[in-house]
Amino acid sequence: MRALDVAPRLDRLRARLDDAGVAALIVTNLANVRYLTGFTGSAAVLAVTSGGSGGSGGSGGSGGPGRALLTTDGRYRTQSAEQIASARAPVEISIGTTQAQRDAVRSLLAGVGPIGLEADHVSWSDSRQWGELLGDVVPTSGHVEALREVKDEGEIDRMAKAAAIADAALQEVLPMLAERVSEEEFALALDTAMRRNGAESTAFETIIAAGPNSAKPHHRPTPRIIAAGDPVVVDFGAAFEGYRSDMTRTFFVGGEPEGELARVFAVVRDSQARGVAAVAPGIGCKEVDSVCRAVIAEAGWADRFEHGTGHGVGLDIHEAPTVSQLGTATLAPGMIVTVEPGVYLPGTGGVRIEDTLVVTEDGSRPLTNFEKTVAVV
Ligand code: CO
């Protein structure tokens, strides 16, 4: 497995901060902290000063330009030192109480401004506290998230591994669908199989939705017994070294679907295949959504596809870019997105099919490779 390329990320962030006219960024989102430093603990703040050309006081403080300080508490003294050394991230560490951590950040950023907060992740009360501590704070949005959109080779390898674990786990437990187990029992078996195959955890709470429940896109598993004739939506993923996979398959228990659900399955299958074929560098995320939506609209179910076509995946299960009518990003090599159209008929059932794809130089490559089997007998 190729290594994660953590060390250059801070300088990429600094270039963005310079462009935005921000002299420093307080990173409080833990996935962003992990991305920039390699540190995986459950509590940390990362203060990053820009390259120095942005803002008004970039070189005026005691910190000066181009520094990064991770603050955390005593529980993570050893772990933070080990992980940051292993990532070769140019980051200083300060360990202490909450007050000591704040003092360390204030000292680094003395005279520096404006200082960006991650507006999408900071609570109202936290933003007020940071303002009282640091003075010139401003809201910023999406700086680290934009870097995270394009994965390096090490990240792609970990996501491919997560997806392969999920594929193998589903292969193992799929026959259970025909053995009159409940949604909950099947979810537990699938989750356990992922762990046995090397997942550190599930990527998110597994969705098993059988019969009429399959018409609820984000149904939670219940004691309902999965029976012959049921459509079963299986939406799940594995996490491996922090990186997540995401895949959905819809199966029919006891044989091929009949009637309206047979048509729903064929339309969703076609919509998903066309969406996958559209994924390529230079294509807008909105366009991929339009391709999937057009197939479903043509079949007369435009109002039964009530969610976006997909999303970025990585350290978070849902991250930039958004693949929907609201998606403004253009696909580029190294981005990883899902394509997951669905049609849901309340009272009857639903179908969703999803793959996670890495954008390549000339198209895309699926990381999720489980066959799109229809019938489980
Ligand atoms: Co998804």
Side-chain angles (χ1 to χ4, degrees):
M1 190 160 297
R2 294 171 290 187
L4 295 169
D5 199 13
V6 177
R9 294 173 182 168
L10 280 166
D11 276 341
R12 274 182 225 135
L13 174 63
R14 290 186 177 108
R16 287 190 63 95
L17 299 181
D18 283 346
D19 287 348
V22 175
L25 182 68
I26 302 290
V27 183
T28 45
N29 175 271
L30 290 171
N32 287 344
V33 170
R34 177 176 190 158
Y35 179 78
L36 293 169
T37 68
F39 176 64
T40 64
S42 65
V45 170
L46 176 68
V48 182
T49 63
S50 80
S53 60
S56 53
S59 58
S62 57
R67 287 178 66 184
L69 175 71
L70 179 96
T71 74
T72 182
D73 62 72
R75 291 173 298 169
Y76 293 117
R77 182 182 301 279
T78 307
Q79 180 184 325
S80 60
E82 286 174 354
Q83 290 183 320
I84 282 166
S86 153
R88 300 175 200 280
V91 174
E92 302 156 58
I93 302 172
S94 174
I95 306 287
T97 61
T98 303
Q99 190 54 50
Q101 292 180 51
R102 286 183 183 155
D103 289 346
V105 170
R106 183 171 49 196
S107 154
L108 178 81
L109 299 181
V112 171
I115 297 165
L117 298 180
E118 295 186 293
D120 301 319
H121 307 297
V122 178
S123 70
W124 176 256
S125 61
D126 280 348
S127 73
R128 290 182 59 150
Q129 286 186 23
W130 284 116
E132 283 163 19
L133 184 76
L134 301 173
D136 186 12
V137 298
V138 294
T140 69
S141 183
H143 286 302
V144 186
E145 288 82 349
L147 300 177
R148 284 169 52 188
E149 283 186 1
V150 175
K151 273 67 179 175
D152 65 37
E153 292 174 336
E155 294 181 288
I156 293 171
D157 284 358
R158 281 157 184 78
M159 294 189 60
K161 174 73 176 175
I165 289 169
D167 282 353
L170 182 57
Q171 195 72 54
E172 281 180 26
V173 302
L174 189 62
M176 280 180 68
L177 279 184
E179 293 168 8
R180 291 193 62 79
V181 296
S182 69
E183 293 171 345
E184 284 174 338
E185 286 166 331
F186 188 74
L188 178 62
L190 184 54
D191 292 355
T192 307
M194 285 195 279
R195 293 293 296 271
R196 227 177 18 242
N197 278 279
E200 65 195 5
S201 66
T202 60
F204 55 93
E205 202 175 323
T206 296
I207 295 169
I208 306 294
N213 290 339
S214 61
K216 298 178 236 169
H218 273 189
H219 174 71
R220 295 185 64 176
T222 70
R224 184 187 190 282
I225 299 294
I226 300 169
D230 278 351
V232 187
V233 173
V234 179
D235 184 351
F236 72 111
F240 182 79
E241 295 186 7
Y243 286 86
R244 293 160 203 276
S245 73
D246 195 1
M247 178 169 79
T248 308
R249 293 292 182 266
T250 303
F251 303 105
F252 288 83
V253 178
E256 303 279 328
E258 290 170 6
E260 197 171 30
L261 281 174
R263 201 169 142 249
V264 169
F265 187 89
V267 167
V268 171
R269 181 93 160 80
D270 185 32
S271 166
Q272 203 262 350
R274 293 207 212 177
V276 167
V279 172
I283 302 296
C285 286
K286 184 177 173 180
E287 206 174 322
V288 176
D289 183 80
S290 296
V291 166
C292 289
R293 217 162 279 287
V295 175
I296 289 170
E298 203 174 311
W301 289 312
D303 57 347
R304 301 299 190 201
F305 175 23
E306 293 189 287
H307 55 75
T309 286
H311 52 88
V313 194
L315 289 170
D316 286 320
I317 189 61
H318 292 132
E319 59 180 55
T322 296
V323 184
S324 75
Q325 288 302 300
L326 298 175
T328 53
T330 300
L331 294 172
M335 287 185 177
I336 295 186
V337 295
T338 69
V339 174
E340 50 178 308
V343 169
Y344 312 90
L345 307 179
T348 303
V351 173
R352 179 167 66 257
I353 298 173
E354 170 184 32
D355 285 306
T356 300
L357 310 161
V358 55
V359 181
T360 59
E361 294 297 330
D362 56 0
S364 77
R365 176 169 63 85
L367 298 181
T368 47
N369 290 294
F370 199 89
E371 57 186 321
K372 296 180 176 79
T373 317
V374 184
V376 177
V377 182

